[in-house]
Amino acid sequence: MNRVYVCSCFGITETEVKAHADAGACTPRQIASASKAGTDCGSCVRRIQSILGRGGCPRRELLDRRTPVLVEPADPEVTAVPMTPAPAPVPARLRKAA
């Protein structure tokens, strides 16, 4: 199998980037959140932008239909990092006194 690496820092392939885009990622930042691509040296960000293109972003339609956005790709060869948001820390001045 011929793999075209987009991000050599994390070993992210073009297939993986396209799978995340098909799942609703519309920006390099969303691709980075889903796969870490573009978060180290940054040299792959322009390549990710070219893969995403300038077409319409399906994310808005997916959100309107309440379809999950940025889910793990169905392709078994694509490894995705689960996207579980971390809880925001509560500033000390807003915490209740015990």
Side-chain angles (χ1 to χ4, degrees):
M1 171 179 244
N2 187 11
R3 293 181 181 221
V4 177
Y5 287 95
V6 173
C7 176
S8 57
C9 295
F10 293 105
I12 306 300
T13 65
E14 187 172 309
T15 303
E16 290 174 282
V17 172
K18 288 180 180 179
H20 289 300
D22 290 343
C26 299
T27 65
R29 184 171 288 179
Q30 291 172 337
I31 295 293
S33 294
S35 67
K36 290 186 167 182
T39 61
D40 194 26
C41 76
S43 66
C44 60
V45 173
R46 289 194 183 249
R47 177 70 182 130
I48 292 169
Q49 287 172 330
S50 71
I51 292 169
L52 295 174
R54 296 189 178 265
C57 179
R59 186 167 193 247
R60 175 82 290 174
E61 294 92 29
L62 291 172
L63 288 173
D64 290 341
R65 290 185 303 199
R66 298 190 186 274
T67 303
V69 178
L70 295 178
V71 296
E72 292 187 29
D75 187 349
E77 291 188 25
V78 175
T79 56
V81 177
M83 295 186 53
T84 306
V90 178
R93 64 180 171 30
L94 297 178
R95 290 187 202 133
K96 293 184 179 181

